[in-house]
Amino acid sequence: MPDEVAPPPEDRQLLSRAQAGDMAAFEALVESHRDKVFGLALRMTRSEADAAEISQDTFLSAYQHLKDFRGDAAFSSWVYRIAANHALMRLRHRRVVQAAEEELKGPEFTERGSLAAYPEQDWSRDAEEKALDAETGLAIQQATDRLPEGYREVFLLKDVEGLSYEQIAEVTGDSVPAIKSRLHRARLALREAIDQFYNRDNRAV
């Protein structure tokens, strides 16, 4: 994606018509950007169901606030910002739910105060899963998933989606220097994770 942040002429024309109430124009904007919005949501949440809902919520929010959009930036950047915000809210909600479920799944005790059952771990299955994780692509995906939200968001927008620093600034609302700093740290974390992955494989040989 080019570094130019000015809205494409096609988007400007469609946006102007959509803001005047032309639903066909808005549907054309949705059709033009739907796949990229879905792809961004999928990479952030790792869930097709969540990505589909986020895409719907994103374009619904865009339609509801269409008249508030001044058009001084690319429509795609504005929509990406909405999608990223929805994805981050979904991830935060998911963590809250998971934390609540883990609390409910706490250890059970007998009337005498001893553990009702000891946790079991299938170490052989764990070893098999580690062996299956020997592909570099999967290792990178796992390392990306472990990045903090802000680092993962910037990494996906820059190195996966190909947005410029200026476009990412529009999406996140952060300054370009802050984005560059987070991206640098994200890349270092990923490099370290991949190095550890290869070192582990070399030690296993």
Side-chain angles (χ1 to χ4, degrees):
M1 184 175 294
D3 288 344
E4 179 64 44
V5 298
E10 300 82 4
D11 277 8
R12 286 202 300 268
Q13 295 170 4
L14 290 171
L15 177 63
S16 178
R17 288 166 47 195
Q19 287 177 321
D22 187 341
M23 278 300 300
F26 182 74
E27 290 173 357
L29 285 171
V30 173
E31 182 68 23
S32 177
H33 300 284
R34 178 176 55 195
D35 290 345
K36 292 196 176 219
V37 166
F38 178 84
L40 174 62
L42 180 61
R43 290 183 178 94
M44 292 185 71
T45 64
R46 299 297 182 195
S47 166
E48 291 190 1
D50 284 345
E53 290 187 17
I54 289 169
S55 297
Q56 292 177 357
D57 292 342
T58 294
F59 288 112
L60 177 60
S61 296
Y63 179 74
Q64 291 173 337
H65 298 91
L66 196 59
K67 292 185 178 180
D68 299 328
F69 180 57
R70 298 189 304 272
D72 51 356
F75 178 81
S76 59
S77 297
W78 182 56
V79 170
Y80 272 15
R81 182 190 309 163
I82 297 173
N85 287 336
H86 277 293
L88 290 174
M89 286 190 293
R90 183 64 61 95
L91 289 172
R92 292 186 186 111
H93 175 72
R94 183 191 295 174
R95 282 201 304 275
V96 170
V97 172
Q98 288 175 344
E101 290 177 348
E102 288 300 321
E103 185 175 348
L104 291 175
K105 292 178 182 176
E108 297 181 3
F109 295 88
T110 65
E111 294 180 356
R112 301 177 63 180
S114 59
L115 279 172
Y118 287 93
E120 296 180 358
Q121 179 148 3
D122 188 347
W123 295 104
S124 62
R125 181 178 177 184
D126 186 51
E128 290 175 0
E129 289 177 350
K130 288 183 179 179
L132 292 175
D133 287 349
E135 303 218 354
T136 303
L138 183 55
I140 294 175
Q141 176 180 313
Q142 292 174 337
T144 303
D145 289 343
R146 288 193 294 269
L147 288 173
E149 283 181 8
Y151 292 6
R152 183 171 67 251
E153 178 187 29
V154 169
F155 171 75
L156 290 173
L157 291 175
K158 184 69 176 72
D159 289 351
V160 178
E161 297 296 333
L163 271 67
S164 68
Y165 289 114
E166 291 77 11
Q167 289 171 319
I168 297 173
E170 294 174 7
V171 170
T172 63
D174 296 324
S175 67
V176 170
I179 291 168
K180 288 183 177 180
S181 176
R182 289 214 306 271
L183 179 62
H184 177 66
R185 294 183 182 183
R187 287 170 173 170
L188 286 178
L190 288 174
R191 185 181 305 166
E192 182 179 355
I194 298 305
D195 286 345
Q196 291 176 354
F197 171 79
Y198 280 116
N199 289 336
R200 183 198 67 186
D201 283 353
N202 290 335
R203 287 195 300 269
V205 175

